Amino acid sequence: MTKAAKVMVPAIKVTRLHKTFNCCKALDGVSLDINPGEMVALIGASGSGKSTLLRHVAGLAVGDSSAQGGSIEVMGRPVQARGRLASDIRATRARIGFVFQQFNLVGRLPVMTNVLTGSLGRLPSWRSLTGLFPLEDRERAFDALTRVGISETAWQRASTLSGGQQQRAAIARTLVQRAEIILADEPIASLDPESSRRVMETLATINAEDKTTVVVCLHQVDFAIRYCPRTIALKKGQIVFDGASSDLTPSALRDLYGAEADELSAPIQGSASFITDTALAVAG
Amino acid sequence: MNTAIDTARLSPPPRQSLVKLLAWGVIFATLAWSWSGAEIRPMALITDGANMGTFLADFFPPNFHDWRYYLEEMVITLHIAIWGTALAVVCAVPFGLLCAENVAPAWINQPVRRMMDSCRAINEMVFAMLFVVAVGLGPFAGVLALFVHTTGILAKLFSEAVEAIDPRPVEGIRATGANLLEEIVYGIIPQVMPLWISYSLYRFESNVRSATVVGMVGAGGIGVVLWEIIRGFYFAETCAVMLIIIATVSIIDIASSRLRKLFI
Ligand SMILES: Nc1ncnc2c1ncn2[C@@H]1O[C@H](COP(=O)(O)OP(=O)(O)OP(=O)(O)O)[C@@H](O)[C@H]1O
Ligand SMILES: [Mg+2]
């Protein structure tokens, strides 16, 4: 009885979020629910508010205070409400892995240290500030690097890696973090098609194997359809579509975006086999 | 017709020429204005030429009879510079971070900046005189003088380096749930480290130079020797000491600038 009555706590719950920058409204009453274990694509033309939305969910930015609602909850814990961050925001951030378009690794530090920073949220200060990471975390970091396929670069400076490798290092950081949610802001926008494919596959595998909720901003609808069962589409700060990615036919896109649709539906170039067996098995 | 247009395009617009002319005017006006205050008398160089000749002759040959003593004092001068710089570097790290706009809020960094401004504004000689009164004659007063002045300088240089960092890696660290100190240790310090090291070495070079003069007010080292022999008109000895200072400072400058190149 109790089990059936128990309502699933959404992994991410955004309620009527508004964000106004000096000039314009970047988010205009965004509400959405994402369940644990989902893999969701967030699409929209440049400037539609994708990055802004993700940064709010991670508590890296705060919404308008005047707006009604404007609250965000992650795994049932408040991130922000009415333009104020929750007081335990750092504990919540530790549960959210963020993958940035520009990787945001510390270039002068070894890849290993960059990946180990994923454990900062749960380490006591004397360990983190002296760099004495426990053996267990070091092992975890190395395993994570192995899992994303770049363990041989562990002791190289992060700045010496290729774009695709840096992005996978950033994903490894979220693994060390044991993030329950991964937010990826255009993780493949600056990568070539082959690297893009590997990064998306890595995310899909993590989503399948660890049941990690993944929200990924994308520019190309093709990738969304290929890797994410669900897509949320933004336009000028408003959600204009929220449903199965397979419903996003070219004509549906033209209805949503008009001339902007071309920007989103640029085909994936290069490779023919987009999805490896693991990812396929996962999707099925 | 055509050529007229072309030549006009080849020279800068009239406004720019006017500004340039004005700038030169201001420079010459300033120089003329300070002429009498500074009592510039070029003729004195010629009329007193003979005097200066005999004065210079007294310097040569340099007298290295007491070289052991001079060297010992020179090493003490180095010690003063080393400790003055080391203490300053240690203090400049927190103060530099507190001065930086992207680390501390305005109500913290404004007062700290003003404090550092005053450390910087007052010359180390002035601090040396004050510390000689406070802690007595000797090298420790020199160390304190260099320490205070250098902290002011390094804190400013350090904070400028911090303000110029790439904010994205720091945000990457913040997104893992790190606290402010962890953001600084993992996101900021690795980015500014090469610059900080280079600035510290550069200040060490200039502190070796400054340490030779703080002694003149009694704050220890070769400066004390220099002051005494100049006052006693021992010019040959003065020349020897000056040569030792020149040699030491040059060696330190060269070594440190080599070292700095490694970090940039
Ligand atoms: N820090 C900021 N200050 C001012 N305006 C901003 C800021 N960040 C975003 N904006 C504005 O908010 C709007 C949404 O920006 P956002 O970066 O979220 O778009 P996006 O969908 O991620 O675009 P892209 O695909 O180019 O990354 C844009 O109009 C942008 O100019
Ligand atoms: Mg963006």
Side-chain angles (χ1 to χ4, degrees), chain A residues 55 90 93 104 108 128 133, chain B residues 168 171 175 178 182 186 190:
Chain A
R55 289 170 52 77
R90 285 210 299 271
R93 274 190 200 136
N104 293 20
R108 298 184 55 86
S128 62
F133 292 95
Chain B
R168 292 173 302 188
E171 192 162 63
E182 291 163 342
Y186 288 94

Side-chain angles (χ1 to χ4, degrees), chain B residues 28-258:
Chain B
F28 282 116
T30 316
L31 287 175
W33 172 65
S34 346
W35 178 277
S36 57
E39 296 186 16
I40 306 285
R41 289 170 288 123
M43 291 313 286
L45 287 177
I46 298 164
T47 51
D48 299 340
N51 279 346
M52 287 177 66
T54 42
F55 179 56
L56 260 180
D58 286 343
F59 278 73
F60 292 99
N63 177 355
F64 278 103
H65 183 259
D66 281 334
W67 65 273
R68 242 178 256 272
Y69 171 54
Y70 301 154
L71 273 191
E72 266 167 31
E73 291 300 313
M74 191 67 229
V75 171
I76 290 180
T77 301
L78 275 185
H79 293 166
I80 297 174
I82 288 171
W83 270 98
T85 313
L87 291 176
V89 170
V90 169
C91 288
V93 170
F95 282 127
L97 287 166
L98 290 177
C99 285
E101 253 165 20
N102 49 351
V103 174
W107 61 269
I108 291 179
N109 68 36
Q110 285 307 325
V112 178
R113 275 186 205 182
R114 296 295 86 75
M115 206 168 88
M116 293 298 114
D117 284 350
S118 29
C119 292
R120 217 167 39 241
I122 296 166
N123 191 281
E124 51 263 81
M125 284 293 268
V126 179
F127 279 123
M129 283 192 258
L130 296 177
F131 281 119
V132 163
V133 176
V135 302
L137 289 170
F140 188 49
V143 170
L144 292 178
L146 292 184
F147 161 47
V148 174
H149 185 71
T150 309
T151 301
I153 293 174
L154 282 183
K156 180 175 168 71
L157 292 175
F158 282 11
S159 76
E160 275 170 8
V162 170
E163 282 172 359
I165 58 161
D166 180 357
R168 292 173 302 188
V170 184
E171 192 162 63
I173 302 285
R174 183 176 312 150
T176 66
N179 61 32
L180 182 63
L181 272 181
E182 291 163 342
E183 278 175 37
I184 290 172
V185 170
Y186 288 94
I188 296 181
I189 305 255
Q191 291 194 56
V192 295
M193 208 47 164
L195 266 182
W196 281 13
I197 291 176
S198 153
Y199 288 149
S200 304
L201 283 171
Y202 176 68
R203 278 319 299 179
F204 173 64
E205 287 168 39
S206 18
N207 277 349
V208 173
R209 271 170 271 148
S210 304
T212 60
V213 293
V214 289
M216 296 200 143
V217 296
I222 195 87
V224 178
V225 181
L226 198 58
W227 180 234
E228 273 161 11
I229 53 184
I230 290 178
R231 264 198 323 188
F233 301 109
Y234 299 113
F235 293 128
E237 286 79 359
T238 306
C239 183
V241 170
M242 279 170 37
L243 288 175
I244 288 177
I245 292 177
I246 291 170
T248 313
V249 169
S250 310
I251 291 170
I252 301 269
D253 274 13
I254 292 167
S256 147
S257 67
R258 284 270 164 81

Side-chain angles (χ1 to χ4, degrees), chain A residues 19-27 42-55 101 185-186 189 217-219 234 236-237 263-264:
Chain A
K19 176 67 179 186
T20 317
F21 287 112
N22 311 329
C23 55
C24 40
K25 242 180 138 76
L27 294 176
L42 195 59
I43 64 163
S46 188
S48 55
K50 306 183 293 293
S51 304
T52 308
L53 177 57
L54 283 197
R55 289 170 52 77
Q101 179 178 344
D185 185 6
E186 305 208 30
C217 277
L218 291 170
H219 239 95
L234 280 176
K236 298 200 176 109
E263 189 193 332
L264 296 169

